[in-house]
Amino acid sequence: MFVSTTPDPVGAQRMSAAETAKLTARVTWLSVSVGLSLALLKAAVWWRSGSVSLLASAADSGLDFVAALGTFWAVRVAVLPADAEHRYGHGKAEAFASLLQAGLVFASAALIAREAITHLLRPQPVQDQGGAIIVMIVSVAATLALVRAQASVIAQTRSVAIKGDRAHYVADLVSNAAAIVGIGLARLSGEARWDALAGVLVAGWLIKGAINVLREASNELLDREVDEADRHQILKLALDDQQVLGVHQFRTRASGPFLHIQMHMELEPDQSLAAAHEIVEAAEHRILAAFPSADLVIHADPFGLSEHHDRDFDGLSVGRYAKNFRNSV
């Protein structure tokens, strides 16, 4: 039976598409700027020092920049309005960008793991490269600031594209921090394997993060139901009227900044069409006030006379839905 005992979320659950676009556009500008700046800085220091490790780090920052450009494009496409060829909008662009980010994190983890295992088997002395260490510290500071900004935007917008971009920058952040720790331990102990061991641990952590990003992007592309707290609130808002006798065929799915909701609403069969329309319209206003970016479709059915078009996945009979749900909250 679909009845959640989770308390109602505090505050607005979703932002409008315009508000989401503003926040995601701002943070993707920051992401592109950080990626480009770090890539150029590391390349400049590498040109003077000839450090191979710094060249690898510069290449990784260049990859961050390319990935950030993909996210920069995706969040702008995702908020475009529906058109004749895309009647449900363009929100899935975010999920595609997130898939790209997951692939890049997997690639980074594989390269780090290969280098780390090679150095575990054939340890090499860590060269003292003061300039390279300073650049990595600057990189950690700049990336940490970006990751915190992205976390704030994700909390407000739930953007899967920004989540993917953040995962890639977190990978860069952790790899640089681990490199600093590994080099420090190697210098203090005289054991070069510390550096390689840090690389192995980072690779494993990156793979775990990439799997999480891949799962979220796949859920959105496969139209998985939104989280139960949101479903609970939507259903509560729909049934917040004693004239609504039940709800069935209740379905939700996310598409970038947009939320698609559809349901069949059970109403008194003897009332006029105009009266039924007023009840449905009032329910729409309640839901849209909490979920302003929702694309909402409510079909009115006469109570007890509706056809069962498909199986009710929530497992509740139509006639008992409102009564059972109201009794549970």
Side-chain angles (χ1 to χ4, degrees):
M1 175 170 108
F2 169 71
V3 173
S4 171
T5 56
T6 305
D8 290 342
V10 178
Q13 289 302 296
R14 298 268 176 172
M15 305 180 70
S16 69
E19 292 170 325
T20 296
K22 185 177 180 179
L23 282 176
T24 55
R26 186 182 304 162
V27 81
T28 51
W29 265 116
L30 182 60
S31 176
V32 169
S33 300
V34 169
L36 179 59
S37 299
L38 291 180
L40 293 176
L41 176 62
K42 292 176 182 179
V45 176
W46 163 76
W47 184 263
R48 296 185 59 182
S49 67
S51 167
V52 176
S53 61
L54 192 57
L55 175 61
S57 184
D60 185 51
S61 291
L63 195 61
D64 289 340
F65 170 64
V66 173
L69 285 176
T71 306
F72 181 86
W73 166 83
V75 299
R76 285 158 177 77
V77 171
V79 297
L80 293 176
D83 55 34
E85 296 178 341
H86 306 88
R87 295 299 178 94
Y88 291 97
H90 303 77
K92 299 292 186 183
E94 284 203 10
F96 281 114
S98 193
L99 285 179
L100 170 64
Q101 297 285 2
L104 292 174
V105 174
F106 273 122
S108 297
L111 292 174
I112 292 172
R114 186 188 68 176
E115 289 298 313
I117 292 172
T118 298
H119 283 77
L120 273 176
L121 298 175
R122 295 190 295 273
Q124 299 176 5
V126 178
Q127 300 298 319
D128 184 13
Q129 299 170 339
I133 294 294
I134 292 173
V135 168
M136 281 195 287
I137 291 174
V138 172
S139 176
V140 166
T143 306
L144 181 59
L146 172 62
V147 165
R148 292 184 65 180
Q150 290 173 323
S152 176
V153 172
I154 290 168
Q156 298 176 74
T157 67
R158 308 183 187 186
S159 167
V160 294
I162 302 299
K163 285 181 182 179
D165 196 36
R166 181 175 182 270
H168 203 266
Y169 274 102
V170 166
D172 189 53
L173 174 66
V174 174
S175 63
N176 280 315
I180 293 171
V181 172
I183 290 173
L185 289 174
R187 291 189 62 188
L188 290 173
S189 65
E191 175 55 68
R193 284 189 175 89
W194 277 113
D195 181 48
L197 181 59
V200 171
L201 294 176
V202 168
W205 188 84
L206 294 184
I207 290 174
K208 180 178 181 296
I211 290 173
N212 289 336
V213 172
L214 181 62
R215 182 183 296 115
E216 288 204 35
S218 299
N219 284 341
E220 185 159 316
L221 288 172
L222 293 173
D223 291 332
R224 187 180 187 275
E225 286 287 335
V226 300
D227 63 76
E228 189 149 332
D230 280 350
R231 281 174 56 81
H232 179 275
Q233 187 181 13
I234 294 166
L235 192 54
K236 182 182 177 186
L237 291 168
L239 295 170
D240 193 21
D241 183 343
Q242 292 299 323
Q243 298 177 93
V244 178
L245 305 179
V247 169
H248 67 288
Q249 293 295 306
F250 174 44
R251 299 175 181 178
T252 62
R253 62 187 178 94
S255 180
F258 301 103
L259 176 64
H260 296 275
I261 305 168
Q262 67 181 62
M263 67 183 75
H264 288 213
M265 184 171 284
E266 295 279 335
L267 303 175
E268 177 60 49
D270 295 331
Q271 66 186 332
S272 68
L273 179 60
H277 173 73
E278 287 183 5
I279 296 171
V280 170
E281 193 171 56
E284 290 175 345
H285 290 161
R286 292 193 298 271
I287 295 171
L288 290 173
F291 299 87
S293 64
D295 178 30
L296 180 60
V297 177
I298 299 179
H299 173 76
D301 273 340
F303 179 73
L305 300 177
S306 62
E307 295 182 6
H308 293 278
H309 303 288
D310 284 306
R311 183 174 48 152
D312 188 341
F313 293 99
D314 296 325
L316 272 168
S317 66
V318 174
R320 295 173 52 211
Y321 210 144
K323 181 179 178 181
N324 279 328
F325 185 84
R326 290 188 182 114
N327 289 340
S328 71
V329 295

